[in-house]
Amino acid sequence: AEVSTQSTGEEEMEFIARTCERHNALIISDEVYERCVFPGEEHVRIATMPGAWDRTITVGSAGKSFSMTGYKLGWAVGPEELITKAQAMHQTVVYSAPTIIQDVVARCIERELSLKGEEEAYYTQLPRLMQDGCGILTEACREAGLPVVEPYSGYFMLLDTTPLDLEFDTSKVPYDVQCSKHLMEHHKLATIPLTPFFGLNKELSEKYVRLCFAKSTATLEAGAEIIRGLRK
């Protein structure tokens, strides 16, 4: 799970952990949005579930934790046996972690540790920024009569495009891919289709697109105005 909170995922994570333990499977947990969890929620690591630590590698991201996605740098946390094997693999497949970037990220982490829980800490400010951005787009979608799947963290929310009553020939290109192209070309609204993330059961997501709220307030307000006008 990319993000799990007490409100959304602990029971599901316990089920996954039990299942992996029963089948002796490893868990690679993408938790890059751990620092974007909205106020009032708490990030819960799957590695903390009973029996999960010894079989889990947790992946984090400097790009998401410090809003510098261009750095493409992250980290992995887990038991020594698994991390040692991950290191052996890592050195043969990744060639984009310059020393200077590692040093910058290390200093960012050290700063946050020294300011833990304080108002000026970036980890204190970031969740509020993400929640405010999400709120701007969510309000606009509701005013336009467009259902949304509200997140508890992260950069993205899901928009149900069904009320737009758009029709496309989906024999070759999925509905959501064409919908995203239509919204960009005709409304100047950039969205992200979901079906490319699916191997099977693409039909489950074909009417949804992703909206990114990790943007400046000016950009979000401009996008909100476009969304309000989609059904006019």
Side-chain angles (χ1 to χ4, degrees), residues 13-69:
M13 285 194 295
E14 289 179 354
F15 172 78
I16 293 171
R18 289 196 306 270
T19 303
C20 289
E21 186 175 23
R22 184 165 62 251
H23 295 282
N24 194 28
L26 298 179
I27 301 170
I28 309 298
S29 184
D30 177 357
E31 301 184 23
V32 299
Y33 293 111
E34 61 182 308
R35 299 297 178 182
C36 300
V37 176
F38 296 170
E41 299 292 335
E42 180 182 351
H43 178 69
V44 180
R45 299 184 184 280
I46 194 170
T48 64
M49 299 297 105
W53 167 257
D54 290 338
R55 64 182 66 254
T56 301
I57 294 179
T58 301
V59 179
S61 165
K64 299 299 192 297
S65 293
F66 298 109
S67 302
M68 47 189 186
T69 53

Coordinates of all heavy atoms in Angstrom, one line a residue, residues 13-69:
M13 N -4.0 -4.2 6.3 CA -2.5 -4.5 6.4 C -2.3 -5.8 7.2 O -1.4 -6.6 6.9 CB -1.8 -3.3 7.0 CG -1.6 -2.2 6.0 SD -0.3 -1.0 6.6 CE -1.1 -0.4 8.0
E14 N -3.1 -5.9 8.3 CA -3.0 -7.1 9.1 C -3.3 -8.4 8.3 O -2.6 -9.4 8.4 CB -3.9 -7.0 10.3 CG -3.4 -6.0 11.3 CD -4.4 -5.9 12.5 OE1 -5.5 -6.6 12.4 OE2 -4.1 -5.2 13.5
F15 N -4.3 -8.2 7.4 CA -4.7 -9.4 6.5 C -3.6 -9.7 5.6 O -3.2 -10.9 5.4 CB -6.0 -9.0 5.8 CG -6.3 -10.0 4.7 CD1 -6.9 -11.2 5.1 CD2 -6.0 -9.8 3.4 CE1 -7.2 -12.2 4.1 CE2 -6.3 -10.7 2.4 CZ -6.9 -11.9 2.8
I16 N -3.0 -8.7 5.0 CA -1.9 -8.9 4.0 C -0.7 -9.5 4.7 O 0.0 -10.4 4.2 CB -1.4 -7.5 3.4 CG1 -2.5 -7.0 2.5 CG2 -0.1 -7.7 2.6 CD1 -2.3 -5.6 2.0
A17 N -0.4 -9.0 5.9 CA 0.8 -9.5 6.7 C 0.6 -11.0 7.1 O 1.5 -11.8 6.9 CB 1.0 -8.7 8.0
R18 N -0.6 -11.4 7.5 CA -0.9 -12.8 7.8 C -0.8 -13.6 6.6 O -0.3 -14.8 6.6 CB -2.3 -12.9 8.4 CG -2.5 -12.3 9.8 CD -3.8 -12.8 10.5 NE -4.9 -12.5 9.7 CZ -5.7 -11.4 9.7 NH1 -5.3 -10.5 10.6 NH2 -6.8 -11.3 9.0
T19 N -1.3 -13.1 5.5 CA -1.3 -13.9 4.2 C 0.1 -14.1 3.8 O 0.5 -15.3 3.4 CB -2.1 -13.2 3.1 OG1 -3.5 -13.0 3.6 CG2 -2.1 -14.0 1.8
C20 N 1.0 -13.1 3.8 CA 2.4 -13.2 3.4 C 3.1 -14.2 4.4 O 4.0 -15.0 3.9 CB 3.0 -11.9 3.4 SG 2.5 -10.8 2.1
E21 N 2.8 -14.1 5.6 CA 3.4 -15.0 6.6 C 3.0 -16.5 6.3 O 3.9 -17.4 6.3 CB 3.1 -14.7 8.0 CG 3.8 -15.5 9.1 CD 3.5 -15.0 10.5 OE1 2.4 -14.3 10.7 OE2 4.3 -15.2 11.4
R22 N 1.8 -16.7 6.0 CA 1.3 -18.0 5.7 C 1.9 -18.6 4.5 O 2.2 -19.8 4.4 CB -0.2 -18.0 5.6 CG -0.9 -19.4 5.4 CD -2.4 -19.4 5.6 NE -3.1 -18.5 4.6 CZ -3.6 -17.4 4.9 NH1 -3.6 -16.9 6.2 NH2 -4.3 -16.7 4.0
H23 N 2.2 -17.8 3.5 CA 2.8 -18.3 2.2 C 4.3 -18.0 2.1 O 4.8 -18.1 1.0 CB 2.0 -17.6 1.0 CG 0.6 -18.0 0.9 ND1 0.2 -19.2 0.4 CD2 -0.6 -17.4 1.3 CE1 -1.2 -19.3 0.5 NE2 -1.6 -18.2 1.0
N24 N 4.9 -17.5 3.2 CA 6.3 -17.2 3.2 C 6.7 -16.2 2.1 O 7.6 -16.4 1.3 CB 7.1 -18.5 3.1 CG 8.6 -18.2 3.5 OD1 8.9 -17.3 4.2 ND2 9.5 -19.0 2.9
A25 N 5.9 -15.2 1.9 CA 6.2 -14.2 0.9 C 6.8 -12.9 1.5 O 6.5 -12.6 2.6 CB 4.8 -13.8 0.2
L26 N 7.6 -12.2 0.7 CA 8.2 -11.0 1.1 C 7.2 -9.8 0.8 O 6.4 -9.9 -0.1 CB 9.5 -10.7 0.4 CG 10.6 -11.7 0.6 CD1 11.9 -11.4 -0.2 CD2 11.0 -11.8 2.1
I27 N 7.4 -8.7 1.5 CA 6.6 -7.5 1.3 C 7.5 -6.4 0.9 O 8.4 -6.0 1.7 CB 5.8 -7.2 2.6 CG1 4.9 -8.3 3.1 CG2 5.0 -5.9 2.4 CD1 4.3 -8.1 4.4
I28 N 7.2 -5.8 -0.2 CA 7.9 -4.5 -0.6 C 6.9 -3.4 -0.4 O 5.9 -3.4 -1.2 CB 8.4 -4.6 -2.0 CG1 9.3 -5.8 -2.3 CG2 9.3 -3.3 -2.3 CD1 10.5 -5.9 -1.4
S29 N 7.0 -2.6 0.6 CA 6.0 -1.6 0.9 C 6.4 -0.2 0.4 O 7.4 0.4 0.9 CB 5.7 -1.6 2.4 OG 4.7 -0.7 2.7
D30 N 5.6 0.3 -0.5 CA 5.9 1.7 -1.1 C 5.2 2.7 -0.1 O 4.0 2.8 -0.1 CB 5.3 1.8 -2.5 CG 5.4 3.2 -3.1 OD1 5.9 4.1 -2.4 OD2 5.0 3.3 -4.2
E31 N 6.0 3.4 0.7 CA 5.4 4.3 1.7 C 6.0 5.7 1.5 O 6.3 6.4 2.5 CB 5.7 3.8 3.1 CG 5.0 2.4 3.3 CD 5.2 1.9 4.8 OE1 5.3 2.7 5.7 OE2 5.1 0.6 4.9
V32 N 6.1 6.1 0.2 CA 6.7 7.4 -0.1 C 5.9 8.6 0.4 O 6.5 9.7 0.5 CB 7.0 7.5 -1.6 CG1 7.9 6.3 -2.0 CG2 5.7 7.4 -2.4
Y33 N 4.6 8.4 0.6 CA 3.8 9.5 1.1 C 3.6 9.6 2.6 O 2.7 10.2 3.1 CB 2.4 9.4 0.4 CG 2.4 9.6 -1.1 CD1 2.1 8.6 -2.0 CD2 2.7 10.9 -1.6 CE1 2.1 8.8 -3.3 CE2 2.8 11.1 -3.0 CZ 2.4 10.0 -3.8 OH 2.5 10.2 -5.2
E34 N 4.5 8.9 3.3 CA 4.4 8.9 4.8 C 4.4 10.2 5.4 O 3.8 10.4 6.5 CB 5.5 8.0 5.3 CG 6.9 8.6 5.1 CD 8.0 7.7 5.6 OE1 8.0 7.4 6.8 OE2 9.0 7.4 4.9
R35 N 5.0 11.2 4.8 CA 5.1 12.6 5.5 C 4.0 13.5 4.9 O 3.9 14.6 5.3 CB 6.4 13.2 5.2 CG 7.6 12.4 5.8 CD 7.5 12.3 7.3 NE 8.6 11.5 7.9 CZ 8.7 11.3 9.2 NH1 7.8 11.8 10.0 NH2 9.7 10.5 9.6
C36 N 3.1 13.0 4.1 CA 2.0 13.8 3.5 C 0.7 13.4 4.2 O -0.4 13.9 3.7 CB 1.9 13.6 2.0 SG 3.4 14.0 1.1
V37 N 0.6 12.6 5.2 CA -0.6 12.2 5.8 C -1.3 13.4 6.5 O -0.7 14.2 7.2 CB -0.4 11.1 6.9 CG1 -1.6 10.7 7.6 CG2 0.2 9.9 6.2
F38 N -2.6 13.6 6.2 CA -3.3 14.8 6.6 C -3.4 14.9 8.1 O -3.4 13.8 8.8 CB -4.7 14.8 6.0 CG -4.7 15.0 4.5 CD1 -5.9 14.8 3.8 CD2 -3.6 15.2 3.8 CE1 -5.9 14.9 2.4 CE2 -3.6 15.4 2.4 CZ -4.8 15.2 1.7
P39 N -3.5 16.1 8.7 CA -3.7 16.2 10.1 C -4.9 15.4 10.6 O -5.9 15.4 9.9 CB -3.9 17.7 10.3 CG -3.1 18.3 9.1 CD -3.3 17.4 8.0
G40 N -4.7 14.8 11.7 CA -5.8 14.0 12.3 C -5.7 12.5 11.9 O -6.4 11.7 12.5
E41 N -4.8 12.2 11.0 CA -4.6 10.8 10.6 C -3.1 10.5 11.1 O -2.3 11.3 11.4 CB -4.7 10.6 9.1 CG -6.1 10.9 8.6 CD -7.1 9.9 9.1 OE1 -6.7 8.8 9.4 OE2 -8.3 10.3 9.1
E42 N -2.8 9.2 11.1 CA -1.5 8.7 11.4 C -1.1 7.6 10.5 O -1.8 6.7 10.2 CB -1.5 8.2 12.9 CG -0.2 7.7 13.4 CD -0.2 7.1 14.8 OE1 -1.3 7.2 15.4 OE2 0.8 6.5 15.2
H43 N 0.2 7.8 10.0 CA 0.7 6.8 9.1 C 1.0 5.5 9.9 O 1.6 5.6 10.9 CB 2.0 7.3 8.4 CG 2.6 6.3 7.5 ND1 2.1 5.9 6.3 CD2 3.8 5.6 7.6 CE1 2.9 5.0 5.7 NE2 3.9 4.8 6.5
V44 N 0.6 4.4 9.3 CA 0.9 3.1 10.0 C 1.7 2.2 9.0 O 1.3 2.0 7.9 CB -0.4 2.3 10.3 CG1 -0.1 1.0 11.0 CG2 -1.3 3.2 11.2
R45 N 2.8 1.8 9.4 CA 3.7 0.9 8.6 C 3.3 -0.5 8.6 O 3.0 -1.1 9.7 CB 5.2 1.0 9.0 CG 5.7 2.5 9.0 CD 7.2 2.5 9.3 NE 7.7 3.8 9.4 CZ 8.1 4.5 8.3 NH1 8.0 3.9 7.1 NH2 8.6 5.7 8.4
I46 N 3.2 -1.2 7.5 CA 2.9 -2.6 7.4 C 3.9 -3.4 8.2 O 3.6 -4.5 8.7 CB 2.7 -3.1 6.0 CG1 2.0 -4.4 6.0 CG2 4.0 -3.1 5.2 CD1 1.5 -4.9 4.6
A47 N 5.2 -2.9 8.2 CA 6.2 -3.6 9.0 C 5.9 -3.7 10.4 O 6.6 -4.6 11.1 CB 7.6 -2.9 8.7
T48 N 5.0 -2.9 11.0 CA 4.7 -3.0 12.4 C 3.6 -4.0 12.7 O 3.3 -4.3 13.9 CB 4.2 -1.6 12.9 OG1 3.0 -1.2 12.3 CG2 5.3 -0.6 12.7
M49 N 3.0 -4.6 11.7 CA 2.0 -5.6 11.9 C 2.7 -6.9 12.4 O 3.8 -7.2 12.1 CB 1.3 -5.9 10.6 CG 0.5 -4.8 9.9 SD -0.8 -4.1 11.0 CE -0.1 -2.6 11.6
P50 N 1.9 -7.7 13.2 CA 2.5 -8.9 13.8 C 3.1 -9.8 12.7 O 2.4 -10.1 11.7 CB 1.3 -9.6 14.4 CG 0.4 -8.4 14.8 CD 0.6 -7.5 13.6
G51 N 4.4 -10.2 12.9 CA 5.0 -11.1 11.9 C 5.5 -10.5 10.7 O 6.0 -11.3 9.8
A52 N 5.4 -9.2 10.5 CA 5.7 -8.6 9.2 C 7.1 -8.1 9.1 O 7.7 -8.0 8.0 CB 4.7 -7.4 8.9
W53 N 7.8 -7.7 10.2 CA 9.1 -7.0 10.1 C 10.1 -7.8 9.4 O 10.8 -7.3 8.5 CB 9.6 -6.6 11.5 CG 11.0 -6.2 11.6 CD1 12.1 -7.0 12.0 CD2 11.6 -5.0 11.1 NE1 13.2 -6.3 11.8 CE2 13.0 -5.1 11.3 CE3 11.0 -3.9 10.5 CZ2 13.8 -4.1 10.9 CZ3 11.9 -2.8 10.2 CH2 13.3 -2.9 10.4
D54 N 10.2 -9.1 9.7 CA 11.3 -9.9 9.2 C 11.1 -10.2 7.7 O 12.1 -10.7 7.1 CB 11.3 -11.3 9.9 CG 11.8 -11.2 11.3 OD1 12.5 -10.2 11.6 OD2 11.5 -12.1 12.2
R55 N 10.0 -9.9 7.1 CA 9.8 -10.1 5.7 C 9.5 -8.8 4.9 O 9.0 -8.9 3.7 CB 8.7 -11.1 5.5 CG 7.3 -10.7 5.9 CD 6.3 -11.8 5.8 NE 6.5 -12.9 6.6 CZ 7.0 -14.1 6.2 NH1 7.3 -14.3 4.9 NH2 7.3 -15.1 7.0
T56 N 9.7 -7.7 5.5 CA 9.3 -6.4 4.9 C 10.5 -5.5 4.6 O 11.3 -5.2 5.4 CB 8.3 -5.7 5.7 OG1 7.1 -6.5 6.0 CG2 7.8 -4.4 5.1
I57 N 10.5 -4.9 3.4 CA 11.3 -3.8 3.0 C 10.4 -2.6 2.8 O 9.5 -2.7 1.9 CB 12.2 -4.1 1.8 CG1 13.2 -5.2 2.0 CG2 12.9 -2.8 1.3 CD1 14.1 -5.5 0.8
T58 N 10.6 -1.5 3.5 CA 9.8 -0.3 3.4 C 10.6 0.7 2.6 O 11.7 1.0 2.9 CB 9.5 0.2 4.8 OG1 8.8 -0.8 5.6 CG2 8.6 1.5 4.7
V59 N 10.0 1.2 1.6 CA 10.6 2.2 0.7 C 10.1 3.6 1.0 O 8.9 3.8 1.1 CB 10.4 1.8 -0.8 CG1 11.0 2.8 -1.7 CG2 10.8 0.4 -1.1
G60 N 11.1 4.5 1.1 CA 10.7 6.0 1.4 C 11.3 6.8 0.2 O 12.1 6.4 -0.6
S61 N 10.9 8.1 0.2 CA 11.3 9.0 -0.9 C 11.6 10.4 -0.4 O 10.8 11.0 0.3 CB 10.1 9.1 -1.9 OG 10.3 10.1 -2.8
A62 N 12.8 10.8 -0.8 CA 13.2 12.2 -0.5 C 12.3 13.2 -1.3 O 11.9 14.2 -0.9 CB 14.7 12.5 -0.7
G63 N 12.0 12.7 -2.5 CA 11.2 13.6 -3.4 C 9.9 13.9 -2.9 O 9.4 15.0 -3.0
K64 N 9.2 12.9 -2.3 CA 7.9 13.2 -1.7 C 8.0 13.8 -0.3 O 7.2 14.6 0.1 CB 7.1 11.8 -1.6 CG 6.9 11.2 -3.0 CD 6.1 12.1 -3.9 CE 5.6 11.3 -5.1 NZ 6.6 10.8 -6.0
S65 N 9.0 13.3 0.5 CA 9.1 13.8 1.9 C 9.5 15.3 2.0 O 9.2 16.0 2.9 CB 10.1 12.9 2.7 OG 9.6 11.6 2.9
F66 N 10.3 15.7 1.0 CA 10.8 17.1 1.0 C 10.4 17.9 -0.2 O 11.0 19.0 -0.5 CB 12.3 17.1 1.1 CG 12.8 16.4 2.4 CD1 13.5 15.2 2.3 CD2 12.7 17.0 3.6 CE1 13.9 14.6 3.5 CE2 13.1 16.5 4.8 CZ 13.7 15.2 4.7
S67 N 9.4 17.4 -1.0 CA 8.9 18.1 -2.2 C 10.0 18.5 -3.2 O 10.1 19.6 -3.7 CB 8.1 19.3 -1.7 OG 7.1 19.0 -0.9
M68 N 10.9 17.5 -3.4 CA 11.9 17.8 -4.4 C 12.0 16.5 -5.3 O 13.0 15.8 -5.3 CB 13.3 18.1 -3.8 CG 13.7 17.2 -2.6 SD 15.2 17.9 -1.8 CE 15.6 16.6 -0.7
T69 N 11.0 16.3 -6.1 CA 10.9 15.0 -6.8 C 11.9 14.9 -7.9 O 12.2 13.8 -8.3 CB 9.5 15.0 -7.5 OG1 9.2 16.2 -8.3 CG2 8.4 14.8 -6.5

